[in-house]
Amino acid sequence: MDSQTVISSLNDQQKEAVSTNSIYTLVLAGAGSGKTRVLVHRVAWLIAIDKVPLQNIFVVTFTNKAATEMRKRIEDILNYPTKSFWIGTFHGLAHKFLRIHWEEAGLDKNFQIIDSLDQIRMIKKMLKTLNKSESDFSPKDIQLFINKNKDAGLRPNKLLDGRIEEDSEIIELYRYYDDLCKSSSVVDFSELILRVIETLRNNKDLLERYQNKFNHLLIDEFQDTNTIQYNLLKLLAGNHNSIFAVGDDDQSIYKWRGAKVENMQSFEESFDSTKIIRLEKNYRSTKNILSAANSIISRNSSRLGKNLWTDSHKGDLLSLYRASDERDEADFVISKINDYFNQGNLRSEVAILYRSNAQSRVFEEYLLKYKIPYKVYGGLRFFERAEIKDALAYLRLISNRNEDNSFERIVNIPVRGIGMKTIEHIRNVSNKNNISLWESSKKIIEGNMLSKRANNALYSFVNLIDKIDSLTKGSALSEIVREVIQSSGLIEHYGRDGQLNGEAKVENLGELVSASEGIITSEDISLSPLDDFLSYAVLESGSSQSSSEEDSIQLMTLHSAKGLEFPVIFLCGLEEGLFPHQRSINNQSELEEERRLCYVGITRAKKTIYLTYALRRRIYGIDHFGSPSRFIGEIPLDLIEELNSLELSLSSSTHSGNEYENNKPMQLGQRVIHNQFGEGVILAYEGNGPQARIQVNFYDEGCKWLVLEYAKLKFI
DNA sequence: ATCCGGGCCGATCCG
DNA sequence: CGGCCCGGAT
């Protein structure tokens, strides 16, 4: 393959990036500027032109989905499968490393990964054993504390130097938690990466080996790397390996979980003669969509600066729909979706985006009602569901008897007569002898330490696990899974009358079997298929719908939409307090992150975008009256078409005023003058007639709600 | 040991 | 509103 084949389809800046000789490259890639394309072609260039062997390349993506897709596209260009290719998320790659080097990392061979729900469970249990009340330290706060410190590379010991006295208790909890993880051989998300760094730092040979191996480090979504991830990258880079970082500071939306945009600014300082390449041509959206997005993001202060442009046509205006409440909003969205589908388009071309997961419920309800297939991303995902976690716990226990978390989760599910008292006993013996719950149970059974009934119950459980294990030795993975959900009694348990959503849960358990069939085992980790599957289940928790090939509407949060594109976008719930979120409204930098999130949302759209907001919305079962998001007002008026513009008739009542003024239709964005507050713009309104309330943003006085009848506004 | 119901509290976003 | 925890009844 010659160089032309690799870069012929690219524009000049993209070519420059793909074919660069620079050791350190920072690509500032605007939304829709062909970022993924550049990365994919860069890898192809390295392999085909620079003759770099695949195993010397290390590629970090933000999601598993992105990794899978990128790998596929690289294979398409190279025209051969990419075996033993280190491409994945930081977590996925760290996991791979730890599987290979579990010994050097001080882990058990078959360590398991826990997700954040498991982590909470563990913390709660820990508090119980330590006889601490959850009111002193909420489990969530402890979790936050632990993860925050791990993400900053700080172990309890490090924290104890120079600690503040009042922190010592929570640091002790952190230490205890780490011990607990060790004894049950589990690893949490943050631990994965921290452990890799520590292993490399404490093992010069290993570090050298990897520094010699990965000559080319490529990283996507660089703006969303946190401290420890960046440190890992620097460690691997050493003094001579090349780094090719791609990112967009305007799309940095993960500051809340420790991501540092500053990494982008400091990249140039950290690495000598960094070459900076800007990708500013947008290939995705129409001119109108891009103008709207640019107008919004231009309000932010701290930006590296990019000038995104397009030579596409103007396209449609952005549509704005004012819903009376969230049901009306959903109804509107559905009707537009039906129109679009009936014009012969695919459902999968449409995405409904929202700020928070809870908003998906109403949409789901309506989509179900109208029998429109859909797929939800995020929220409670497939592998996080209770029934699935139960089944996984059985599988984990089969793989590793000492995994206390799983033991406790399912020792009495389905109920088999092992109650609190028995479990308490098992825990005591386990604590006293410093052995796992499993070992402790066996000891108890042998010593006949319980009542006959309890002893029998416990025996039958221990026996069950052993039996499933020996029965399925050597069986295919899916056979093991099938056996587990059957003989554990889970199917029967969930299928029983009275179980909430019983059929759905049984169905999900069946899905788990199918999921285990589709797994392709990772090539270069010597992991049993079962352990491979268990890791996969945690790292890739999947969408919340069971997988199906059916053409369906895509529902997701703005965060999970990053990196994706759709012909038609519905950006919903554009209300102050919801988006921007209440918790960010009073903080300039957090508000700017919300604005970037909005920018991300709008730039997902290729052709059409609908913006919707609701005048009334139920949250926690209480009605809230919101006002339209400030972000709507940040889009130039001439780019927006209001689908149901305000046409208030004021004539119907006692209102005293001149006839013309009373009947004049009002529009959002209409400029008005108030005696006291001066000039402003109408942002929203509620109700009808003279009693209607309208919200005006006064240039000097800010936003105010006024009752139309008394406000005596002059329209100008 | 298990079931049921009332009280309480809380959800931004992710791997 | 809904999930989770706890306590009392069986």
Side-chain angles (χ1 to χ4, degrees):
Chain A
M1 190 183 303
D2 67 0
S3 58
Q4 272 313 306
T5 335
V6 181
I7 55 172
S8 60
S9 60
L10 306 174
N11 71 26
D12 289 348
Q13 288 72 35
Q14 292 173 333
K15 274 181 195 162
E16 190 185 359
V18 165
S19 63
T20 182
N21 287 321
S22 177
I23 301 190
Y24 304 117
T25 312
L26 179 62
V27 181
L28 299 179
S33 64
K35 185 165 58 81
T36 313
R37 211 170 148 71
V38 162
L39 268 167
V40 165
H41 285 257
R42 174 67 182 164
V43 173
W45 177 277
L46 288 174
I47 294 170
I49 311 301
D50 290 345
K51 307 294 177 206
V52 178
L54 192 63
Q55 58 268 25
N56 296 356
I57 301 175
F58 184 87
V59 184
V60 190
T61 59
F62 193 71
T63 61
N64 292 302
K65 205 173 160 194
T68 315
E69 182 171 334
M70 208 175 285
R71 182 194 284 262
K72 218 183 96 225
R73 282 170 65 174
I74 292 168
E75 287 177 350
D76 283 348
I77 296 183
L78 294 177
N79 216 2
Y80 56 76
T82 55
K83 284 236 161 27
S84 69
F85 182 17
W86 286 67
I87 181 170
T89 61
F90 270 109
H91 293 96
L93 293 165
H95 170 245
K96 181 166 169 175
F97 177 90
L98 293 176
R99 283 297 173 200
I100 300 172
H101 300 290
W102 55 274
E103 219 162 358
E104 294 98 318
L107 293 168
D108 267 11
K109 184 163 196 285
N110 49 0
F111 71 88
Q112 304 284 341
I113 308 163
I114 55 170
D115 65 17
S116 61
L117 290 170
D118 295 329
Q119 198 182 21
I120 286 281
R121 284 173 67 98
M122 248 176 89
I123 291 168
K124 282 186 179 165
K125 225 162 289 157
M126 167 178 87
L127 291 174
K128 213 167 253 172
T129 10
L130 294 175
N131 259 323
K132 296 225 193 278
S133 151
E134 289 191 16
S135 49
D136 295 341
F137 290 109
S138 84
K140 277 204 108 152
D141 287 348
I142 299 174
Q143 182 185 40
L144 212 70
F145 180 85
I146 292 174
N147 293 342
K148 199 183 73 200
N149 282 298
K150 285 192 180 184
D151 286 345
L154 297 170
R155 293 289 186 189
N157 279 342
K158 199 74 167 247
L159 287 172
L160 282 172
D161 319 335
R163 89 200 113 125
I164 318 162
E165 192 52 43
E166 62 202 59
D167 278 349
S168 62
E169 201 175 347
I170 197 165
I171 296 174
E172 276 317 306
L173 290 174
Y174 177 12
R175 181 197 307 287
Y176 193 92
Y177 166 84
D178 263 2
D179 291 345
L180 206 58
C181 287
K182 191 167 173 47
S183 65
S184 42
S185 56
V186 295
V187 169
D188 61 48
F189 283 136
S190 303
E191 182 76 27
L192 283 170
I193 297 167
L194 178 55
R195 191 63 75 106
V196 172
I197 288 221
E198 288 176 347
T199 308
L200 288 172
R201 286 204 176 127
N202 298 333
N203 198 324
K204 290 277 169 273
D205 289 349
L206 203 58
L207 178 60
E208 234 170 77
R209 218 171 101 201
Y210 275 91
Q211 285 180 337
N212 288 332
K213 176 178 168 62
F214 295 132
N215 304 127
H216 294 274
L217 306 162
L218 293 87
I219 173 155
D220 194 10
E221 307 282 6
F222 186 58
Q223 77 281 359
D224 283 325
T225 50
N226 65 24
T227 305
I228 200 165
Q229 294 168 342
Y230 190 31
N231 286 342
L232 177 57
L233 201 65
K234 286 197 237 181
L235 191 64
L236 287 172
N239 294 322
H240 48 271
N241 293 328
S242 91
I243 303 182
F244 187 90
V246 183
D248 179 4
D249 55 316
D250 289 333
Q251 294 187 64
S252 153
I253 54 174
Y254 284 94
K255 217 180 90 180
W256 54 273
R257 67 171 209 214
K260 293 250 188 307
V261 213
E262 299 82 4
N263 290 347
M264 287 194 80
Q265 281 100 336
S266 70
F267 188 86
E268 213 180 338
E269 294 145 31
S270 305
F271 299 102
D272 283 343
S273 56
T274 293
K275 176 153 202 168
I276 296 186
I277 297 167
R278 286 187 156 75
L279 303 182
E280 296 180 304
K281 179 169 183 192
N282 173 293
Y283 290 94
R284 180 183 295 150
S285 311
T286 62
K287 213 163 246 157
N288 284 341
I289 290 172
L290 198 61
S291 303
N294 278 339
S295 162
I296 287 175
I297 199 67
S298 69
R299 258 100 174 160
N300 273 3
S301 53
S302 46
R303 301 176 64 207
L304 289 178
K306 253 187 293 63
N307 194 14
L308 209 52
W309 61 281
T310 176
D311 55 17
S312 70
H313 58 290
K314 282 197 156 183
D316 298 337
L317 293 175
L318 288 74
S319 303
L320 177 65
Y321 181 76
R322 164 184 42 86
S324 52
D325 57 25
E326 72 275 8
R327 313 188 71 80
D328 182 31
E329 181 181 52
D331 216 37
F332 166 77
V333 171
I334 302 281
S335 76
K336 288 294 168 190
I337 283 175
N338 277 333
D339 290 351
Y340 187 72
F341 183 68
N342 290 334
Q343 285 157 23
N345 300 295
L346 289 172
R347 296 193 183 93
S348 57
E349 291 174 3
V350 180
I352 304 176
L353 308 184
Y354 36 77
R355 178 63 176 84
S356 63
N357 279 309
Q359 288 169 256
S360 75
R361 276 185 59 159
V362 186
F363 292 114
E364 291 192 62
E365 197 183 299
Y366 275 71
L367 288 161
L368 276 172
K369 185 169 139 196
Y370 291 103
K371 300 202 187 344
I372 302 173
Y374 66 94
K375 201 169 176 183
V376 190
Y377 293 84
L380 191 60
R381 284 168 287 188
F382 182 71
F383 288 110
E384 288 169 359
R385 289 167 186 249
E387 65 277 15
I388 298 301
K389 294 211 99 168
D390 288 342
L392 292 174
Y394 274 95
L395 292 166
R396 285 175 169 219
L397 208 53
I398 284 166
S399 165
N400 176 8
R401 301 289 196 283
N402 297 329
E403 229 244 77
D404 288 355
N405 258 328
S406 299
F407 182 98
E408 255 190 82
R409 182 179 183 107
I410 41 104
V411 65
N412 202 31
I413 293 179
V415 287
R416 46 172 73 88
I418 301 173
M420 275 311 289
K421 259 178 115 173
T422 309
I423 294 177
E424 200 72 26
H425 197 109
I426 302 173
R427 243 191 250 134
N428 284 337
V429 174
S430 135
N431 283 336
K432 213 177 292 162
N433 299 288
N434 205 13
I435 52 178
S436 66
L437 296 175
W438 176 266
E439 293 299 334
S440 155
S441 304
K442 282 172 67 168
K443 202 179 177 83
I444 288 169
I445 296 164
E446 276 162 31
N448 257 321
M449 294 152 86
L450 296 167
S451 70
K452 192 160 196 164
R453 218 166 82 181
N455 221 28
N456 281 340
L458 190 56
Y459 175 76
S460 70
F461 173 71
V462 167
N463 205 29
L464 173 71
I465 299 296
D466 280 339
K467 203 186 80 198
I468 300 179
D469 190 11
S470 64
L471 206 69
T472 57
K473 269 267 163 350
S475 305
L477 172 61
S478 58
E479 279 312 308
I480 307 179
V481 179
R482 197 189 309 276
E483 183 63 30
V484 158
I485 62 172
Q486 281 300 342
S487 9
S488 64
L490 279 180
I491 294 249
E492 206 180 338
H493 172 70
Y494 282 113
R496 219 177 58 193
D497 300 340
Q499 275 285 339
L500 203 61
N501 302 324
E503 342 73 276
K505 290 181 175 177
V506 172
E507 218 171 278
N508 283 335
L509 286 169
E511 273 297 323
L512 187 66
V513 179
S514 330
S516 69
E517 277 164 357
I519 291 293
I520 312 145
T521 34
S522 2
E523 332 83 34
D524 31 26
I525 309 174
S526 59
L527 215 52
S528 74
L530 175 55
D531 284 328
D532 197 44
F533 180 59
L534 289 172
S535 308
Y536 168 86
V538 189
L539 288 171
E540 167 95 64
S541 38
S543 78
S544 51
Q545 306 290 288
S546 46
S547 57
S548 114
E549 297 306 309
E550 198 174 7
D551 175 41
S552 46
I553 304 291
Q554 314 286 303
L555 277 72
M556 66 192 82
T557 63
L558 287 155
H559 281 89
S560 28
K562 189 175 73 165
L564 307 176
E565 59 177 28
F566 300 92
V568 182
I569 290 282
F570 290 89
L571 186 44
C572 302
L574 279 162
E575 294 129 50
E576 286 290 302
L578 188 60
F579 188 31
H581 194 271
Q582 194 58 49
R583 293 170 69 153
S584 308
I585 250 167
N586 295 314
N587 175 309
Q588 182 61 24
S589 83
E590 286 178 27
L591 192 62
E592 294 206 350
E593 177 143 321
E594 296 282 312
R595 189 172 283 119
R596 290 193 292 270
L597 197 52
C598 186
Y599 174 77
V600 167
I602 291 179
T603 52
R604 295 313 93 194
K606 291 162 111 166
K607 293 192 321 225
T608 309
I609 184 161
Y610 294 92
L611 311 170
T612 69
Y613 67 95
L615 296 171
R616 175 164 49 98
R617 184 178 295 274
R618 294 205 115 183
I619 298 169
Y620 288 142
I622 306 163
D623 283 340
H624 289 262
F625 295 89
S627 52
S629 168
R630 68 191 70 192
F631 300 142
I632 296 175
E634 294 176 0
I635 300 171
L637 270 176
D638 58 354
L639 294 180
I640 295 185
E641 176 194 16
E642 285 177 65
L643 297 180
N644 49 354
S645 73
L646 179 56
E647 303 215 358
L648 276 184
S649 166
L650 305 182
S651 59
S652 61
S653 77
T654 59
H655 181 63
S656 59
N658 86 45
E659 199 63 18
Y660 170 74
E661 211 64 290
N662 288 350
N663 288 306
K664 187 186 170 194
M666 227 189 320
Q667 292 209 330
L668 297 189
Q670 164 86 51
R671 299 204 309 160
V672 296
I673 291 182
H674 183 274
N675 277 340
Q676 209 183 326
F677 303 136
E679 203 173 317
V681 171
I682 299 180
L683 288 185
Y685 57 88
E686 222 175 271
N688 277 305
Q691 293 303 317
R693 298 167 67 242
I694 72 173
Q695 189 192 35
V696 182
N697 187 8
F698 292 102
Y699 299 137
D700 296 326
E701 307 283 324
C703 281
K704 292 198 188 308
W705 278 100
L706 306 167
V707 175
L708 199 51
E709 182 172 10
Y710 307 116
K712 305 244 164 48
L713 295 169
K714 243 203 195 69
F715 300 86
I716 51 175

